[in-house]
Amino acid sequence: MATAGKVIKCKAAVAWEAGKPLSIEEVEVAPPQAMEVRVKILFTSLCHTDVYFWEAKGQTPVFPRIFGHEAGGIIESVGEGVTDVAPGDHVLPVFTGECKECAHCRSAESNMCDLLRINTDRGVMIGDGKSRFSINGKPIYHFVGTSTFSEYTVMHVGCVAKINPEAPLDKVCVLSCGISTGLGASINVAKPPKGSTVAIFGLGAVGLAAAEGARIAGASRIIGVDLNPNRFEEARKFGCTEFLNPKDHKKPVQEVLAEMTNGGVDRSVECTGNISAMIQAFECVHDGWGVAVLVGVPHKDAEFKTHPMNFLNERTLKGTFFGNFKPRTDLPNVVELYMKKELEVEKFITHSVPFAEINKAFDLMAKGEGIRCIIRMES
């Protein structure tokens, strides 16, 4: 492409300080260096993680910054040493990477790449410790190696998954974070047997994706647990067959679930990050064979407390990161599930706004409206 090797001037939504509306600015995007790619972002969506670090209430504040990590785009140019992708390839950026060389990447059991695993504090590229974004010569920092709230962004090649060019980017862009996390927690980690009973704690985007995964796996009862009854009707579309609002019961949730399911559910997937919900999700699974999977990220000081007999009675507790998907190896296959109509993505997408109105997506999330809002980069 004619822009290869040159600085590109484009629009980006810059967060100048914590919690303040994003500002559309002209930024300069430097060419990709060794093992990096520059991507033209066509569609991006807002994930709760962006909001969490934009608010910066409990983390190291890194500003000015370009947020965004759930997206779809096309490779514009590649840096030295890049052979896996080429200009014109359709890709999904991913907040965690796969170098394909470290012990984790070589292990069939792990997706937690030593080199490229998520780092929320780092605002620069790992190659040279510099940002590829600037305004008037001053650096604007990256976010989780992706920064997709920009018309062009630079990423390490290990953080992009090359996908089927026939796949509509305005739909499959949501597979690059939350949906795959929930889906994988069910199908890769919980692995509910056909006809089994599954409890899903938290019916946000990730929890609904976990329910969808349980549905695909053939679970016969999928019980959604949430404090917000407004979510129950929507959750039926994702396979939920029953609902439980902890506020409606005097007994602990795990006891209510045990009564509903003759001793406990076969599998549970916890998608809230609330430590009480995590303990309930473990204690509600059936002895002998029950498996609980933790997905939500807890408060840094939270402690998980349960009686050791719960383990000795043959209950299993597992954790997962990004649904145990290896980004470059597995995401193309998740996209194919959508292309074969085995996975429905459209029902996760409830809103769409042009890039100029990106702050509307933040407003929708603050109000708890909808599931995913697509941000269209080209008006």
Side-chain angles (χ1 to χ4, degrees):
M1 295 201 182
T3 45
K6 297 173 185 165
V7 169
I8 288 179
K9 286 186 177 179
C10 70
K11 288 190 173 68
V14 177
W16 289 102
E17 51 187 306
K20 294 283 162 68
L22 306 189
S23 169
I24 304 288
E25 308 277 0
E26 184 178 79
V27 298
E28 294 196 337
V29 185
Q33 300 301 304
M35 300 310 289
E36 295 174 2
V37 295
R38 189 160 57 185
V39 178
K40 180 178 185 171
I41 299 294
L42 296 181
F43 300 94
T44 185
S45 62
L46 182 65
C47 168
H48 192 261
T49 308
D50 295 305
V51 177
Y52 186 68
F53 286 93
W54 164 72
E55 290 175 336
K57 286 174 182 167
Q59 320 79 26
T60 315
V62 182
F63 294 96
R65 198 171 208 182
I66 296 171
F67 286 98
H69 62 282
E70 213 173 75
I74 297 174
I75 301 273
E76 172 270 338
S77 61
V78 303
E80 189 187 329
V82 173
T83 55
D84 284 16
V85 292
D89 284 347
H90 287 216
V91 294
L92 299 183
V94 191
F95 65 90
T96 184
E98 182 185 351
C99 73
K100 296 193 173 181
E101 291 171 4
C102 71
H104 283 276
C105 287
R106 289 199 308 268
S107 162
E109 295 177 48
S110 175
N111 64 345
M112 301 189 73
C113 176
D114 277 331
L115 180 69
L116 301 169
R117 122 176 18 177
I118 186 171
N119 182 327
T120 55
D121 292 341
R122 186 171 57 225
V124 292
M125 299 302 290
I126 56 173
D128 61 2
K130 292 177 182 168
S131 174
R132 301 287 173 261
F133 299 110
S134 62
I135 294 179
N136 299 326
K138 293 200 170 74
I140 307 292
Y141 295 109
H142 294 251
F143 176 63
V144 297
T146 52
S147 293
T148 61
F149 294 166
S150 174
E151 292 174 327
Y152 287 87
T153 186
V154 176
M155 287 173 275
H156 190 284
V157 67
C159 295
V160 295
K162 179 182 170 181
I163 62 161
N164 183 343
E166 300 292 311
L169 288 172
D170 61 330
K171 307 289 191 295
V172 298
C173 62
V174 298
L175 294 175
S176 71
C177 176
I179 312 303
S180 293
T181 296
L183 180 76
S186 282
I187 61 177
N188 294 336
V189 190
K191 297 178 179 170
K194 245 186 178 45
S196 59
T197 301
V198 181
I200 309 288
F201 286 73
L203 298 174
V206 176
L208 292 173
E212 179 81 352
R215 180 190 70 76
I216 290 169
S220 62
R221 289 177 75 187
I222 301 172
I223 305 166
V225 182
D226 203 294
L227 295 167
N228 180 354
N230 298 333
R231 290 179 159 174
F232 293 165
E233 207 41 56
E234 186 82 54
R236 287 186 195 281
K237 297 179 198 166
F238 298 85
C240 281
T241 55
E242 296 154 72
F243 301 96
L244 195 164
N245 185 341
K247 287 186 201 163
D248 296 343
H249 301 270
K250 289 196 168 71
K251 287 181 183 171
V253 174
Q254 50 272 57
E255 285 181 31
V256 178
L257 282 163
E259 286 171 10
M260 286 170 69
T261 56
N262 193 21
V265 296
D266 303 308
R267 302 289 186 267
S268 71
V269 185
E270 191 288 324
C271 304
T272 71
N274 176 292
I275 193 65
S276 302
M278 290 179 155
I279 295 164
Q280 291 159 0
F282 174 56
E283 294 182 352
C284 79
V285 300
H286 207 290
D287 58 0
W289 61 79
V291 178
V293 178
L294 304 185
V295 182
V297 180
H299 186 275
K300 63 181 189 337
D301 300 324
E303 290 183 351
F304 189 99
K305 292 177 181 172
T306 190
H307 198 281
M309 281 312 294
N310 289 319
F311 292 101
L312 297 174
N313 287 336
E314 300 181 5
R315 290 178 183 87
T316 301
L317 179 64
K318 293 183 169 187
T320 177
F321 171 70
F322 192 49
N324 279 37
F325 286 120
K326 287 181 184 278
R328 296 159 82 185
T329 302
D330 298 330
L331 264 192
N333 302 330
V334 178
V335 170
E336 291 311 312
L337 280 181
Y338 166 76
M339 296 299 279
K340 290 186 283 196
K341 297 189 166 46
E342 289 171 32
L343 168 65
E344 293 175 45
V345 166
E346 284 83 354
K347 59 192 176 185
F348 288 97
I349 300 166
T350 50
H351 297 82
S352 172
V353 296
F355 189 36
E357 295 172 24
I358 189 170
N359 288 304
K360 270 193 190 165
F362 281 76
D363 296 340
L364 287 165
M365 191 165 277
K367 290 181 200 152
E369 287 179 22
I371 305 169
R372 276 293 184 265
C373 178
I374 300 291
I375 297 149
R376 309 184 299 275
M377 302 307 282
E378 295 178 329
S379 50

